[in-house]
Amino acid sequence: MKSKQYKTSIIGASGYTGSELARILVNHSETEIVSITSESHQGKKFSDLHAQFSGILDLTLISADEVDVAGLDVIFLALPHGVSMEFVKRWQDSGVKIIDLSGDFRLSTPEVYEDWYKKSHTYPRGFEQAVYGLPELHEKRIKSATLVANPGCYPTASILSLAPLFQSGKVDAKGAIIDAKSGITGAGVKASNTTHFSNVNDNFKAYGIGNHRHTVEIQEQLSFLLKKSVYLQFTPHLLPVDRGILATAYISVEGAMNQEKLDKMYQDFYNKKPFVRLRNQAPSIKEVRGSNYADIYPFWDDRTKRAIVVTVIDNLVKGAAGQAVHNMNLMLGLEESTGLNQVPMQP
Amino acid sequence: MKSKQYKTSIIGASGYTGSELARILVNHSETEIVSITSESHQGKKFSDLHAQFSGILDLTLISADEVDVAGLDVIFLALPHGVSMEFVKRWQDSGVKIIDLSGDFRLSTPEVYEDWYKKSHTYPRGFEQAVYGLPELHEKRIKSATLVANPGCYPTASILSLAPLFQSGKVDAKGAIIDAKSGITGAGVKASNTTHFSNVNDNFKAYGIGNHRHTVEIQEQLSFLLKKSVYLQFTPHLLPVDRGILATAYISVEGAMNQEKLDKMYQDFYNKKPFVRLRNQAPSIKEVRGSNYADIYPFWDDRTKRAIVVTVIDNLVKGAAGQAVHNMNLMLGLEESTGLNQVPMQP
Amino acid sequence: MKSKQYKTSIIGASGYTGSELARILVNHSETEIVSITSESHQGKKFSDLHAQFSGILDLTLISADEVDVAGLDVIFLALPHGVSMEFVKRWQDSGVKIIDLSGDFRLSTPEVYEDWYKKSHTYPRGFEQAVYGLPELHEKRIKSATLVANPGCYPTASILSLAPLFQSGKVDAKGAIIDAKSGITGAGVKASNTTHFSNVNDNFKAYGIGNHRHTVEIQEQLSFLLKKSVYLQFTPHLLPVDRGILATAYISVEGAMNQEKLDKMYQDFYNKKPFVRLRNQAPSIKEVRGSNYADIYPFWDDRTKRAIVVTVIDNLVKGAAGQAVHNMNLMLGLEESTGLNQVPMQP
Amino acid sequence: MKSKQYKTSIIGASGYTGSELARILVNHSETEIVSITSESHQGKKFSDLHAQFSGILDLTLISADEVDVAGLDVIFLALPHGVSMEFVKRWQDSGVKIIDLSGDFRLSTPEVYEDWYKKSHTYPRGFEQAVYGLPELHEKRIKSATLVANPGCYPTASILSLAPLFQSGKVDAKGAIIDAKSGITGAGVKASNTTHFSNVNDNFKAYGIGNHRHTVEIQEQLSFLLKKSVYLQFTPHLLPVDRGILATAYISVEGAMNQEKLDKMYQDFYNKKPFVRLRNQAPSIKEVRGSNYADIYPFWDDRTKRAIVVTVIDNLVKGAAGQAVHNMNLMLGLEESTGLNQVPMQP
């Protein structure tokens, strides 16, 4: 394989985010993975952890301490929150561009972080430079960022669902309800009662009712759009599927509204956004599986005077690794959809 | 097998409702299935259609025309809506007790039916005698009924979720949002694109947004409790599971409220109801699978001043055949939980 | 609830075998669960571990040390192999009847055990009294046994598949191939990479090729029937389902054979066995799910001169808890199918 | 999008094979889809049938009669058997290269076809030119072919499993047993009882025991390698997964054999074959999902003197569309893995 223009490293090999970044990056025309790290598996091959990469990506895993930052253009932090901030601290002044897939720098301040994540933040300075990496909202700032906080999976679907309406100003700041459903990969690669097949298969449940930490991430971004403080209801549920999030968002709308106006509002907002597909019927999560698309269906219910917006994404792609590559493309000045041409895999 | 006290017949053998009635009734101590009908499969054995009954229930299917109503105590109509009303018309004056599992007599008037079901009703007189068969609300009337309209699956879960709050009067008649998720058996036994494995497996979608006909059934029952007209938002979704409904209901509450008061309100309302289990954490649908339980978790979110109530049922049991047997027990004067002792099957 | 005639205890509450025994026994007309033990969860309620039992079986878990054996008729050991033998040692001379659901006493001698289980056996004396609890083969001995070794799940399906042919003597002792597929509950309740939803869902694999310890259990029972030493090929696979085993067994047959003779051979062998259903088409695992049936389809392939026998069971019922209750019924002199009338749950 | 070098057409838009060809070809660097046909859906967009292609491939479907063969380099026939032969007849002499994904020209003669497919063949002349499109066996002939019969999904996995051993000559021509398991997409896109979610989910069954038509396809190719007539046992099963085939093949081996020799035999046979990955542990089907890989694990059981070979493929890719594109690459003189770099999608 010939060497490519930009060099990247993935910090954290064992999780789904790490393997999904690799899945996308091995076929990216402009960048090359030069190292992947794992503290607990160093010395093994990447394909020993993720057998699907046998013969495709057999790179030997190294410790993060061995990463030569000087030779890198971009570092992806595919680490748990709380851990990630330490690596941002270590590398933020090195000149390398950092894309952090954890929740450590997504919120506005360390105080909000500590309030919802229930742990202290050890690198408050990171917040000064971190840009929230949702390209549909912050493209310009992402292009010049050195630290991007890649959005959470639920927030990606939820914010995209409601952004046009909140920007329009025609909604009640306290009126939104987001009922969201995620595949099990959202719970991570770790074996637990929650992820045991027999507790998931043919099953379904709600969790984190009233206190899921993605609530505040959504609120902050919608507040930015509405220009006042937003409080909303967010309820996540666990689907017996591997990948995919579907968010059903409900909001009353002030003033005259109809289906045509609603469609127009969404078309205007998402004009020229390559990964948003506005749909005219309710999409299913498999229609975006494996791809970076967010399919959005805005519906006006004239009987109840509510907008109901259904959005589907692949939580590992648009909700994590794909969006991270999108951010990388923007940060490197590449065409924004480079390497992100995966067709959704249905069936 | 020795003959039992009461004789029943199941009209409609091929659907899930028919086979689920059989699953429950073969082990019911006081009643006996004397005939099962199918127009398209008459002459075959019941176990030819449903192989799980091999050696258990090998009754030969007959035409509904051959049913000897005089010898029966109870008839279950396990038929599509629109078809069921014809059989109610035929048998309503025969003295046999009829439990109709279709939607034909669940609503208040033929006009409402025609408005939401988009077809004319050919037996309006049936509405005069039909009792809505939700035992937790209408036990007394069911006991003396000759025609019971067995509730829809979504309405069962939805009404039970919100009944205590609507009876309390402390809620906005237009404020409820019910985001409901159902297993695929809710779509019936018929092969279609909707039920094709590859369109369901690892997938999830919303449907019937804003216009599902169960909306009005829920509204009518909650209106009865609130004593004024209720308008609510109901959104069904399709889960990649066989059985089970989970309803997540959202409603703002007027006046002082907290978790303790909410719990007390639900405990008082469901006191001595054998099939409602009030839970103190969010239940999963497998925790009631195969059983007649409705597990309800009322949660108070003090941040948003909303009650969020999660209810799970097995759509084929508490949402159909089990509730029908419960109604039969009440109509026959039997102990209400007779034959309904199935332990939920998890895993 | 009124007290019943026989008292039982379940040793080991946390696994699937324990909860499945409870699911069956709570509706058994002649026996009562007086205690359930768990060393790691003592003090909790059984329904805290298995929420499906809320309000059904809320018994407080005790330590095995607190079990009062004198008041018991039957003890079920729902423990891992290696642990179970210690409890057999402790209670074998107490007069209580023991049904051991582990693999500790299924094989003929401690030596064979040590060879295949790769650990030493600490209670060799148990082998003297242990009876292999497959009622279709050993009913008479089970009736008078004080210690029954409940068969493994794969062996139950595999032995029942081939028993008539091996008893007939018309097969090559080294010719059988059993390709078996099991649901994930066979791997137990413990969270691990093997049981993680995303490693099971939409997936399938073989494991234990050539060395699975159930091989020798099957060989020993078929050797008993053939009256010479049997060596066979056994390959297990992991299905993305909760419950169920399907075994596809292949064997060449000596002498004249055809479908009719094969059917007759199986009918004769399984005459009056209440839980074997001979089928005339290939059964699916859901056709026995939740029930104690073994559905067997013997097929003669005249082109290849082989018998191909497909057998399905629910691994947790006929392959574990249901068969244990069947054994209990025989040991107590009850009608053998008492409490085992569950209709298979399809869908 | 700029025009690419080679022009292709897909005949038959509605099935999985058609959509999977599109999924691969839209990202193929050297070829372009210029038309897709459907008789029943002409006039609709391709993405109306397959919503995952919204905004990616919105080509209007045309009738096959409108296809301008003169402007095409390659035609893919994604049609049912029996239908496909008519189109081969129509276009075989036009100069366009044809890749037929049906079973119509896979077998050696029309007589064999008629014997196993139970219908008469209307274009026997096609057999003269058809080349069996398994590149690992027939690469040279494929390169110069004008009509390629793309192998069946089961045969691809089965033949690759056993090819090295049959070529070695050290096996009994009547001794092989192939126990194969396929995802439901193998049964096609048509809604039926077989494909209804509730008949597949949490379920598993065997079918076509002793008479599946893929048997003869496997036999013919292995006969070609062994240089004598092969008769084997082939048993397919239906997995509750979308995609994937796992074949477990059993065969006794004559002469001295051990694991090392077996591995060497497979390494030599598959040397430089880009889509065969020899594995040293049993692979799972998700490890190849969405990709063109065949992962093969040859195991020697010294206890039973049998080779047990486990092979996994994605039935829609290596078992259909991917292999078709591989064949196209060979026929056009392109690098053989062009456009086939999809990384397996796990999870």
Side-chain angles (χ1 to χ4, degrees):
Chain A
M1 207 191 305
K2 68 168 192 290
S3 176
K4 292 171 188 167
Q5 189 175 2
Y6 297 105
K7 313 297 179 195
T8 70
S9 181
I10 299 170
I11 310 303
S14 56
Y16 291 133
T17 313
S19 68
E20 198 68 4
L21 279 166
R23 187 174 77 89
I24 295 170
L25 291 172
V26 293
N27 285 325
H28 192 283
S29 59
E30 309 302 321
T31 63
E32 191 180 349
I33 303 171
V34 297
S35 57
I36 309 182
T37 78
S38 168
E39 303 314 305
S40 47
H41 297 287
Q42 51 177 299
K44 288 188 197 165
K45 292 188 291 182
F46 183 66
S47 53
D48 291 338
L49 260 68
H50 303 286
Q52 70 269 29
F53 284 94
S54 301
I56 299 173
L57 191 62
D58 295 317
L59 221 53
T60 299
L61 301 173
I62 60 174
S63 166
D65 296 338
E66 301 172 70
V67 171
D68 175 18
V69 184
L72 294 175
D73 297 287
V74 178
I75 280 186
F76 294 95
L77 301 179
L79 297 167
H81 65 83
V83 178
S84 214
M85 57 177 83
E86 295 300 323
F87 288 89
V88 171
K89 187 195 293 186
R90 187 194 297 199
W91 288 322
Q92 198 183 353
D93 297 326
S94 70
V96 71
K97 294 174 198 301
I98 301 177
I99 299 170
D100 177 18
L101 286 89
S102 85
D104 281 353
F105 297 94
R106 290 175 190 158
L107 301 179
S108 54
T109 67
E111 290 70 31
V112 177
Y113 178 89
E114 293 178 357
D115 195 25
W116 284 81
Y117 281 70
K118 309 294 176 203
K119 61 168 59 182
S120 60
H121 201 292
T122 62
Y123 188 57
R125 188 163 73 82
F127 285 87
E128 296 166 21
Q129 302 188 334
V131 173
Y132 190 74
L134 192 65
E136 288 76 10
L137 265 63
H138 304 295
E139 181 179 336
K140 195 169 290 181
R141 293 181 59 220
I142 294 165
K143 282 181 169 170
S144 60
T146 54
L147 171 61
V148 161
N150 212 58
C153 49
Y154 282 126
T156 295
S158 301
I159 298 163
L160 293 176
S161 275
L162 293 176
L165 281 160
F166 274 74
Q167 198 191 45
S168 79
K170 296 185 172 181
V171 294
D172 175 1
K174 297 186 174 182
I177 291 177
I178 300 168
D179 190 284
K181 303 87 177 174
S182 172
I184 190 72
T185 52
V189 78
K190 198 168 166 348
S192 68
N193 280 345
T194 299
T195 60
H196 192 296
F197 182 79
S198 293
N199 291 337
V200 179
N201 179 49
D202 240 31
N203 208 356
F204 184 65
K205 66 173 180 185
Y207 67 102
I209 304 176
N211 60 23
H212 193 281
R213 56 174 65 119
H214 281 170
T215 308
V216 67
E217 188 178 334
I218 303 165
Q219 288 184 162
E220 286 197 345
Q221 295 297 317
L222 294 181
S223 298
F224 159 82
L225 291 165
L226 187 62
K227 297 182 179 59
K228 64 174 124 164
S229 289
V230 167
Y231 297 89
L232 55 77
Q233 193 77 50
F234 171 72
T235 311
H237 301 72
L238 203 51
L239 286 168
V241 310
D242 282 327
R243 298 166 174 251
I245 283 177
L246 186 148
T248 313
Y250 302 88
I251 184 110
S252 297
V253 178
E254 296 154 11
M257 181 53 73
N258 58 35
Q259 186 66 49
E260 200 181 345
K261 285 185 188 175
L262 189 67
D263 286 343
K264 178 72 165 52
M265 180 189 287
Y266 275 72
Q267 285 155 10
D268 290 347
F269 191 93
Y270 290 117
N271 184 33
K272 310 238 165 137
K273 302 300 178 195
F275 297 112
V276 170
R277 303 195 295 192
L278 293 175
R279 301 286 303 275
N280 55 17
Q281 57 180 11
S284 72
I285 57 175
K286 241 168 159 181
E287 289 168 16
V288 298
R289 186 169 64 157
S291 83
N292 201 47
Y293 292 108
D295 281 17
I296 302 177
Y297 173 57
F299 176 86
W300 176 248
D301 191 342
D302 208 53
R303 193 179 64 89
T304 62
K305 306 299 176 197
R306 281 198 193 90
I308 303 163
V309 187
V310 176
T311 297
V312 292
I313 62 167
D314 183 323
N315 58 307
L316 296 181
V317 188
K318 180 62 177 167
Q323 188 143 269
V325 172
H326 190 179
N327 282 319
M328 177 192 75
N329 290 341
L330 293 171
M331 293 165 90
L332 293 176
L334 300 171
E335 201 284 315
E336 66 178 319
S337 57
T338 310
L340 293 168
N341 61 348
Q342 299 82 6
V343 178
M345 198 166 96
Q346 147 71 333
Chain B
M1 207 189 305
K2 67 168 191 295
S3 178
K4 293 172 188 165
Q5 188 175 4
Y6 296 105
K7 312 297 178 193
T8 72
S9 180
I10 298 171
I11 310 303
S14 56
Y16 292 132
T17 314
S19 69
E20 198 69 3
L21 279 166
R23 186 174 76 90
I24 295 170
L25 291 172
V26 292
N27 285 324
H28 192 283
S29 58
E30 308 302 322
T31 63
E32 190 181 349
I33 303 171
V34 296
S35 58
I36 309 183
T37 78
S38 167
E39 302 314 305
S40 46
H41 298 286
Q42 52 178 296
K44 290 188 197 164
K45 291 187 290 182
F46 183 66
S47 53
D48 291 338
L49 262 67
H50 303 286
Q52 69 271 28
F53 284 94
S54 301
I56 299 172
L57 190 62
D58 296 317
L59 222 53
T60 299
L61 301 173
I62 60 174
S63 165
D65 295 340
E66 300 173 70
V67 171
D68 176 19
V69 185
L72 294 175
D73 298 287
V74 178
I75 280 186
F76 294 95
L77 301 178
L79 297 166
H81 64 84
V83 178
S84 214
M85 57 179 82
E86 295 301 323
F87 288 88
V88 172
K89 188 196 293 187
R90 187 194 296 198
W91 288 322
Q92 198 182 355
D93 297 326
S94 70
V96 72
K97 295 174 197 300
I98 301 177
I99 298 171
D100 176 17
L101 287 87
S102 85
D104 282 353
F105 298 95
R106 291 175 190 157
L107 301 179
S108 53
T109 68
E111 291 69 32
V112 178
Y113 178 90
E114 292 178 356
D115 195 24
W116 285 81
Y117 281 71
K118 310 295 177 203
K119 61 168 60 184
S120 60
H121 200 292
T122 62
Y123 189 55
R125 189 164 72 83
F127 287 85
E128 297 165 21
Q129 302 187 333
V131 172
Y132 190 73
L134 192 64
E136 287 78 9
L137 264 62
H138 303 294
E139 182 179 336
K140 194 169 292 182
R141 293 180 60 220
I142 294 165
K143 282 181 169 171
S144 59
T146 55
L147 170 60
V148 161
N150 212 56
C153 49
Y154 283 126
T156 296
S158 301
I159 298 162
L160 293 177
S161 275
L162 293 175
L165 280 159
F166 274 74
Q167 198 191 44
S168 79
K170 296 186 170 180
V171 294
D172 175 2
K174 297 187 174 181
I177 291 177
I178 300 169
D179 191 283
K181 303 87 178 174
S182 172
I184 191 71
T185 52
V189 78
K190 199 170 167 343
S192 69
N193 281 343
T194 298
T195 60
H196 192 296
F197 181 78
S198 292
N199 292 336
V200 179
N201 179 49
D202 239 32
N203 209 355
F204 185 66
K205 66 174 180 185
Y207 69 100
I209 304 177
N211 60 23
H212 192 282
R213 57 175 65 119
H214 281 169
T215 308
V216 67
E217 188 178 334
I218 303 165
Q219 288 182 163
E220 287 197 345
Q221 294 298 317
L222 294 182
S223 298
F224 160 80
L225 290 165
L226 186 63
K227 299 183 178 59
K228 64 173 123 165
S229 290
V230 167
Y231 298 89
L232 55 77
Q233 193 77 50
F234 172 71
T235 311
H237 300 72
L238 203 50
L239 286 169
V241 309
D242 282 327
R243 297 166 176 249
I245 283 178
L246 185 148
T248 313
Y250 301 88
I251 185 109
S252 296
V253 178
E254 296 154 10
M257 181 55 75
N258 58 34
Q259 187 65 50
E260 200 179 346
K261 285 184 189 176
L262 189 65
D263 287 341
K264 179 71 166 52
M265 180 189 287
Y266 276 71
Q267 284 155 10
D268 290 347
F269 192 93
Y270 290 118
N271 184 32
K272 311 237 167 139
K273 301 299 179 195
F275 296 113
V276 171
R277 302 194 296 191
L278 293 176
R279 301 285 303 275
N280 55 17
Q281 58 180 9
S284 72
I285 58 175
K286 241 169 162 180
E287 289 167 15
V288 298
R289 185 167 65 155
S291 84
N292 200 47
Y293 292 107
D295 281 15
I296 302 178
Y297 172 57
F299 176 86
W300 176 249
D301 190 342
D302 208 54
R303 192 178 66 88
T304 62
K305 306 297 175 199
R306 279 196 196 91
I308 303 163
V309 186
V310 177
T311 297
V312 293
I313 61 167
D314 182 322
N315 58 307
L316 296 181
V317 187
K318 180 62 178 169
Q323 189 143 267
V325 172
H326 189 178
N327 282 318
M328 177 192 76
N329 290 341
L330 293 171
M331 295 165 90
L332 293 176
L334 299 171
E335 200 284 315
E336 66 179 317
S337 57
T338 309
L340 293 168
N341 60 347
Q342 299 82 6
V343 178
M345 198 167 94
Q346 149 72 331
Chain C
M1 207 188 306
K2 69 166 189 293
S3 177
K4 291 172 188 166
Q5 186 175 7
Y6 297 105
K7 312 297 179 194
T8 71
S9 180
I10 299 171
I11 310 302
S14 57
Y16 292 132
T17 314
S19 68
E20 198 68 2
L21 279 166
R23 185 174 76 90
I24 296 170
L25 291 172
V26 291
N27 285 324
H28 192 284
S29 59
E30 308 301 322
T31 63
E32 190 182 348
I33 304 170
V34 296
S35 56
I36 309 182
T37 78
S38 169
E39 303 313 307
S40 46
H41 297 286
Q42 50 177 300
K44 289 188 198 165
K45 291 188 290 182
F46 183 66
S47 54
D48 292 336
L49 262 67
H50 304 285
Q52 70 271 28
F53 285 94
S54 301
I56 300 173
L57 191 61
D58 296 317
L59 221 54
T60 299
L61 301 174
I62 59 173
S63 164
D65 295 339
E66 301 172 70
V67 171
D68 175 18
V69 185
L72 295 175
D73 297 286
V74 178
I75 280 186
F76 294 96
L77 302 179
L79 298 167
H81 65 84
V83 177
S84 214
M85 57 179 82
E86 295 301 323
F87 288 88
V88 172
K89 189 196 291 185
R90 187 193 296 199
W91 288 322
Q92 198 182 356
D93 297 326
S94 70
V96 72
K97 295 174 197 299
I98 301 176
I99 299 172
D100 176 18
L101 285 88
S102 85
D104 282 352
F105 297 94
R106 291 176 189 156
L107 301 179
S108 55
T109 68
E111 290 70 32
V112 178
Y113 178 90
E114 292 178 357
D115 196 24
W116 284 81
Y117 281 71
K118 309 295 178 204
K119 61 167 60 181
S120 60
H121 201 293
T122 61
Y123 189 56
R125 188 163 72 82
F127 286 86
E128 295 166 22
Q129 302 187 334
V131 172
Y132 190 74
L134 192 64
E136 288 78 9
L137 263 64
H138 304 295
E139 180 179 337
K140 194 170 293 181
R141 293 181 59 221
I142 293 164
K143 283 180 169 171
S144 59
T146 55
L147 170 60
V148 161
N150 212 58
C153 50
Y154 282 126
T156 296
S158 302
I159 297 162
L160 293 177
S161 274
L162 293 175
L165 281 159
F166 274 74
Q167 197 192 47
S168 79
K170 295 186 171 180
V171 295
D172 176 1
K174 297 186 174 181
I177 290 177
I178 300 168
D179 191 283
K181 302 87 176 173
S182 172
I184 191 71
T185 51
V189 78
K190 200 170 163 351
S192 68
N193 281 344
T194 298
T195 60
H196 191 296
F197 181 79
S198 292
N199 292 336
V200 179
N201 178 49
D202 239 32
N203 208 356
F204 185 65
K205 66 174 180 183
Y207 68 101
I209 305 177
N211 61 23
H212 193 281
R213 56 175 67 119
H214 282 169
T215 308
V216 66
E217 188 178 334
I218 303 165
Q219 288 184 162
E220 287 196 345
Q221 295 297 318
L222 294 180
S223 297
F224 160 79
L225 289 165
L226 186 62
K227 299 184 178 58
K228 63 172 123 167
S229 290
V230 167
Y231 298 89
L232 54 77
Q233 194 77 50
F234 172 72
T235 310
H237 300 71
L238 204 51
L239 286 168
V241 309
D242 282 327
R243 298 165 175 252
I245 283 177
L246 185 148
T248 313
Y250 301 88
I251 184 108
S252 297
V253 177
E254 296 153 12
M257 180 54 74
N258 57 35
Q259 186 66 49
E260 199 180 346
K261 285 185 188 175
L262 189 66
D263 286 343
K264 179 70 164 55
M265 180 189 287
Y266 275 71
Q267 285 155 9
D268 290 348
F269 192 93
Y270 290 117
N271 184 31
K272 311 237 165 137
K273 302 299 179 196
F275 297 114
V276 171
R277 302 195 294 192
L278 294 175
R279 302 285 303 275
N280 56 16
Q281 57 182 8
S284 71
I285 57 175
K286 239 168 162 180
E287 289 166 16
V288 298
R289 185 168 64 157
S291 84
N292 200 47
Y293 292 107
D295 280 16
I296 302 177
Y297 173 56
F299 176 85
W300 176 247
D301 190 342
D302 209 53
R303 192 179 65 89
T304 62
K305 305 299 176 199
R306 280 197 194 91
I308 303 163
V309 186
V310 176
T311 297
V312 293
I313 61 167
D314 182 323
N315 58 306
L316 296 181
V317 187
K318 180 62 178 168
Q323 189 144 266
V325 172
H326 189 180
N327 282 319
M328 177 192 75
N329 290 341
L330 293 171
M331 294 165 91
L332 293 176
L334 300 171
E335 201 285 315
E336 65 179 317
S337 57
T338 308
L340 293 168
N341 60 347
Q342 299 83 7
V343 178
M345 198 167 95
Q346 147 72 336
Chain D
M1 209 190 304
K2 69 168 190 293
S3 176
K4 291 172 189 167
Q5 189 174 6
Y6 297 106
K7 312 298 178 195
T8 70
S9 181
I10 299 170
I11 311 302
S14 56
Y16 292 133
T17 314
S19 68
E20 197 68 2
L21 279 166
R23 186 174 76 90
I24 295 171
L25 290 172
V26 292
N27 285 324
H28 192 283
S29 59
E30 309 301 322
T31 63
E32 191 180 349
I33 303 170
V34 298
S35 57
I36 309 182
T37 78
S38 168
E39 303 315 304
S40 47
H41 298 287
Q42 50 177 300
K44 289 187 198 165
K45 291 188 291 183
F46 184 66
S47 52
D48 291 337
L49 263 67
H50 303 285
Q52 70 271 27
F53 284 95
S54 300
I56 300 173
L57 192 62
D58 295 318
L59 223 52
T60 299
L61 301 174
I62 60 175
S63 165
D65 295 338
E66 300 172 71
V67 171
D68 175 19
V69 184
L72 294 176
D73 297 286
V74 177
I75 280 185
F76 294 95
L77 302 178
L79 298 166
H81 65 84
V83 177
S84 213
M85 57 178 83
E86 293 302 322
F87 288 88
V88 171
K89 188 196 291 185
R90 188 194 295 199
W91 288 321
Q92 198 184 355
D93 297 327
S94 70
V96 72
K97 295 175 198 300
I98 300 176
I99 298 172
D100 176 17
L101 286 88
S102 87
D104 281 353
F105 298 95
R106 291 175 190 158
L107 301 179
S108 54
T109 68
E111 290 72 30
V112 178
Y113 178 89
E114 293 176 357
D115 196 23
W116 284 81
Y117 280 71
K118 308 297 175 202
K119 61 167 60 182
S120 60
H121 201 292
T122 62
Y123 189 56
R125 189 164 72 82
F127 285 86
E128 296 166 22
Q129 302 187 334
V131 173
Y132 189 75
L134 192 64
E136 288 76 10
L137 264 64
H138 303 296
E139 180 179 338
K140 194 170 292 183
R141 294 181 59 220
I142 294 165
K143 283 180 168 170
S144 59
T146 55
L147 171 59
V148 161
N150 212 58
C153 50
Y154 282 126
T156 296
S158 301
I159 297 163
L160 292 176
S161 275
L162 292 175
L165 281 158
F166 275 74
Q167 197 191 46
S168 80
K170 295 185 170 181
V171 295
D172 176 1
K174 297 186 175 180
I177 291 176
I178 299 168
D179 190 283
K181 302 87 177 174
S182 173
I184 192 71
T185 53
V189 77
K190 199 169 166 345
S192 69
N193 281 344
T194 299
T195 60
H196 192 297
F197 181 79
S198 292
N199 292 335
V200 179
N201 178 50
D202 239 32
N203 208 355
F204 184 66
K205 67 173 178 185
Y207 68 101
I209 304 176
N211 61 22
H212 193 281
R213 56 175 65 118
H214 281 170
T215 308
V216 67
E217 187 178 334
I218 303 165
Q219 287 184 163
E220 286 197 346
Q221 294 297 318
L222 294 181
S223 298
F224 160 80
L225 290 165
L226 187 62
K227 299 182 176 60
K228 64 173 124 166
S229 291
V230 167
Y231 298 89
L232 55 76
Q233 194 76 49
F234 172 72
T235 310
H237 301 72
L238 204 51
L239 285 168
V241 309
D242 282 327
R243 298 166 174 250
I245 284 177
L246 185 148
T248 312
Y250 301 88
I251 185 109
S252 297
V253 178
E254 295 155 10
M257 180 54 73
N258 58 35
Q259 187 66 49
E260 200 181 345
K261 285 185 187 175
L262 189 67
D263 286 343
K264 180 72 167 52
M265 180 189 286
Y266 275 72
Q267 285 155 11
D268 289 348
F269 191 93
Y270 290 118
N271 185 32
K272 312 236 165 138
K273 301 300 180 197
F275 296 113
V276 171
R277 302 194 295 192
L278 293 175
R279 301 285 304 274
N280 55 16
Q281 57 181 10
S284 72
I285 57 175
K286 240 170 161 180
E287 289 167 16
V288 298
R289 185 168 64 155
S291 84
N292 200 46
Y293 292 107
D295 280 17
I296 302 177
Y297 172 56
F299 175 85
W300 177 249
D301 191 342
D302 209 54
R303 192 179 65 90
T304 62
K305 305 299 175 197
R306 280 197 195 91
I308 303 162
V309 187
V310 176
T311 296
V312 293
I313 62 168
D314 183 321
N315 58 308
L316 295 181
V317 188
K318 180 62 177 169
Q323 189 144 266
V325 172
H326 190 181
N327 282 320
M328 178 192 75
N329 289 342
L330 293 171
M331 294 166 90
L332 293 176
L334 299 171
E335 201 284 316
E336 66 179 318
S337 56
T338 308
L340 293 168
N341 61 348
Q342 299 82 7
V343 178
M345 199 166 95
Q346 149 70 336

